[in-house]
Amino acid sequence: MRRLLLTYVLLVFACAWTTSAAQARTYMAPCVGPGKSGPMCHFWTARAVSINDGDTIGVRIDGQHRVWQIRFIGVQAMELHHYDPKRRSGECNSVEAADRVQQLARESHNRVLLSAQHPGTRFTYRLGRYISVKVNGRWQDLGAIEMSEGHTLWMSDERETAWNNVYNKLGQQAEQKHIGLWDPTHCGSGPDQNVPLRAWVNWDQHGVDQADVNNEWVKIQNLSATTSVSVGRWWVRDSGLRRFTFPRGTVLRPGATITVHDGHGQRSGDEFFWGLGVPVFQNIGDGAYLFDPQGDLRASLVYPCVVACTDPNQGALQISAQVRGHQYVLIRNVSGQAVNLYGYELRAPGWPYDFGPNSVLQPGQTMRVDLDGATAQDSALDRHWGSPYPFLHPRADTVRVQTFSEIPIGCDAWGGVSC
């Protein structure tokens, strides 16, 4: 009887929550706007009663008395430290994001539309919702406005997918304009401001990501040939709230690269460990970001690339795969200039290989990458993928050199498959 009573109470509570929070005055419509293709969303009308920060507001859903905390789906604002609207303060760009949300809510007379593909979407105690405000007589998605103005990072969602591609595109367009978060001097000229830095992330390793957390990593390279950068108290993060702060005294030497592995380990030279038990980066899309101590974004990589997806080395490489018998890939530099493959990857579906330092191909040179063999056998022009078995399908497959944001540099395909 006690078990039956407990089950009944839980069912009553679940039904009450579903009715009050998820189904009150709801209707269905296309998530990204009337007449648009794509998934359908549930919509609720509500009134904004508080602006917590650039990605969270408090609302009262029509027909209810309770105030619900709403976490925006798909975007991530920088963190506030003080939330009082009259004296907001926090990380670089955080106040601007919160102020912009407040301004748009006021223009909408605090009337908002909430939407979600799945009514039960939550982020801890907060409901997860897309938010629309009425501006100039029409409803506009608040996350899209923030992304287009550079106030937020794109935070992809595997379940709520409706706006993923739009937000990613708007964020990369803002990056091209160097506005908001993408202005590296937004909060003032920082340390070593003129030293060029490059970031890339190994976000999709072979096999199950959780099986080898340390094989997911972020690399930061100092592109200057003469100037060191003191990166102590700088920090890297993904689009979520996870961050790794470099210890005081950390120096990135000219031309050198520091690597931050997701998992546990002991620092050795330029190798650092985040200390996490799970992979950091989403395979459906994410970003790696390097911030200086004052909170300016100094280097990043957002994937997949969807805006201005070009690379200086596109067309410089000829790729050919030997798939019968002993398998290997030949990479030939057909350009008139040297090509440095460091910071690129060789990838067959499900099988990535990242080129290490000293991977320069002079004009006319060819690098051979055998699928088998250990990296200890490597030389300048002979490399080894390290697979225990051949994995290129002789009937149909592809192999290509690409950036870690999926910009293709060179490709070979066969069996009716295209690059």
Side-chain angles (χ1 to χ4, degrees):
M1 284 296 293
R2 289 181 178 177
R3 289 183 179 178
L4 288 173
L5 180 59
L6 177 59
T7 301
Y8 174 76
V9 170
L10 290 174
L11 285 172
V12 169
F13 176 80
C15 290
W17 181 89
T18 301
T19 300
S20 62
Q23 294 182 349
R25 298 192 181 183
T26 184
Y27 62 91
M28 297 288 292
C31 296
V32 296
K36 301 291 182 65
S37 61
M40 300 291 286
C41 274
H42 301 262
F43 282 79
W44 302 261
T45 55
R47 180 177 181 81
V49 297
S50 65
I51 308 300
N52 300 346
D53 56 28
D55 56 38
T56 305
I57 63 175
V59 306
R60 184 171 286 114
I61 298 173
D62 287 353
Q64 299 184 31
H65 297 290
R66 174 176 176 174
V67 172
W68 294 92
Q69 297 304 309
I70 307 296
R71 174 63 168 82
F72 299 8
I73 297 171
V75 302
Q76 179 74 271
M78 304 303 287
E79 297 303 302
L80 285 176
H81 298 151
H82 297 286
Y83 295 87
D84 186 337
K86 295 181 180 180
R87 56 183 189 92
R88 289 186 177 117
S89 64
E91 296 176 345
C92 183
N93 291 283
S94 63
V95 174
E96 292 93 328
D99 288 348
R100 183 61 168 142
V101 171
Q102 182 168 303
Q103 176 192 5
L104 290 166
R106 285 176 176 172
E107 288 185 24
S108 189
H109 303 288
N110 291 320
R111 297 297 300 167
V112 296
L113 277 179
L114 315 178
S115 62
Q117 291 168 253
H118 307 280
T121 297
R122 297 176 70 96
F123 300 100
T124 60
Y125 65 92
R126 297 169 294 179
L127 298 179
R129 298 290 185 262
Y130 301 110
I131 314 291
S132 292
V133 290
K134 202 166 192 177
V135 180
N136 296 325
R138 65 185 184 92
W139 290 105
Q140 299 184 42
D141 182 76
L142 188 47
I145 295 173
E146 288 195 283
M147 290 299 303
S148 67
E149 296 176 353
H151 294 302
T152 49
L153 301 175
W154 171 49
M155 186 171 65
S156 63
D157 195 291
E158 291 184 333
R159 193 163 183 253
E160 296 281 347
T161 60
W163 286 88
N164 273 346
N165 294 337
V166 176
Y167 288 169
N168 184 24
K169 182 178 180 178
L170 292 173
Q172 291 186 35
Q173 289 173 339
E175 179 182 7
Q176 292 292 310
K177 298 174 184 176
H178 306 292
I179 57 176
L181 280 161
W182 305 103
D183 174 5
T185 60
H186 186 81
C187 287
S189 182
D192 300 299
Q193 190 70 57
N194 296 322
V195 176
L197 303 171
R198 180 189 184 192
W200 65 98
V201 53
N202 186 36
W203 50 270
D204 187 18
Q205 58 179 294
H206 170 64
V208 179
D209 291 355
Q210 289 82 354
D212 186 5
V213 176
N214 276 333
N215 202 29
E216 185 174 280
W217 42 253
V218 180
K219 290 183 183 288
I220 309 294
Q221 184 182 22
N222 181 354
L223 297 178
S224 171
T226 58
T227 305
S228 295
V229 180
S230 298
V231 294
R233 296 178 55 242
W234 293 45
W235 39 283
V236 294
R237 64 173 288 177
D238 69 330
S239 60
L241 296 177
R242 295 166 294 198
R243 65 174 64 181
F244 172 84
T245 302
F246 292 102
R248 293 179 184 273
T250 303
V251 176
L252 183 53
R253 294 165 284 108
T257 303
I258 52 179
T259 304
V260 181
H261 300 273
D262 287 1
H264 296 271
Q266 184 66 40
R267 175 191 173 182
S268 176
D270 291 333
E271 302 282 324
F272 296 83
F273 295 86
W274 208 314
L276 303 173
V278 296
V280 174
F281 298 97
Q282 296 276 357
N283 285 356
I284 63 171
D286 205 341
Y289 308 93
L290 173 70
F291 290 85
D292 66 23
Q294 63 190 20
D296 279 318
L297 180 57
R298 300 289 296 275
S300 63
L301 180 137
V302 178
Y303 61 89
C305 180
V306 294
V307 175
C309 299
T310 61
D311 186 274
N313 290 318
Q314 282 180 303
L317 303 176
Q318 181 183 76
I319 314 298
S320 57
Q322 169 61 43
V323 297
R324 304 289 181 182
H326 184 81
Q327 294 190 343
Y328 57 87
V329 178
L330 298 178
I331 305 168
R332 180 176 175 79
N333 181 358
V334 295
S335 74
Q337 299 179 339
V339 174
N340 189 351
L341 295 175
Y342 185 45
Y344 296 92
E345 66 173 350
L346 178 65
R347 177 175 286 271
W351 289 89
Y353 170 86
D354 63 284
F355 298 96
N358 305 314
S359 295
V360 177
L361 277 180
Q362 298 298 330
Q365 282 188 327
T366 299
M367 177 184 292
R368 171 170 166 157
V369 182
D370 287 279
L371 269 62
D372 60 0
T375 56
Q377 302 172 280
D378 285 355
S379 64
L381 297 177
D382 289 287
R383 303 295 174 91
H384 299 84
W385 212 310
S387 170
Y389 52 84
F391 54 80
L392 294 177
H393 299 286
R395 291 185 178 180
D397 213 340
T398 62
V399 62
R400 66 179 184 172
V401 175
Q402 64 181 23
T403 69
F404 283 84
S405 60
E406 300 187 322
I407 302 173
I409 307 301
C411 177
D412 188 17
W414 57 95
V417 179
S418 63
C419 287

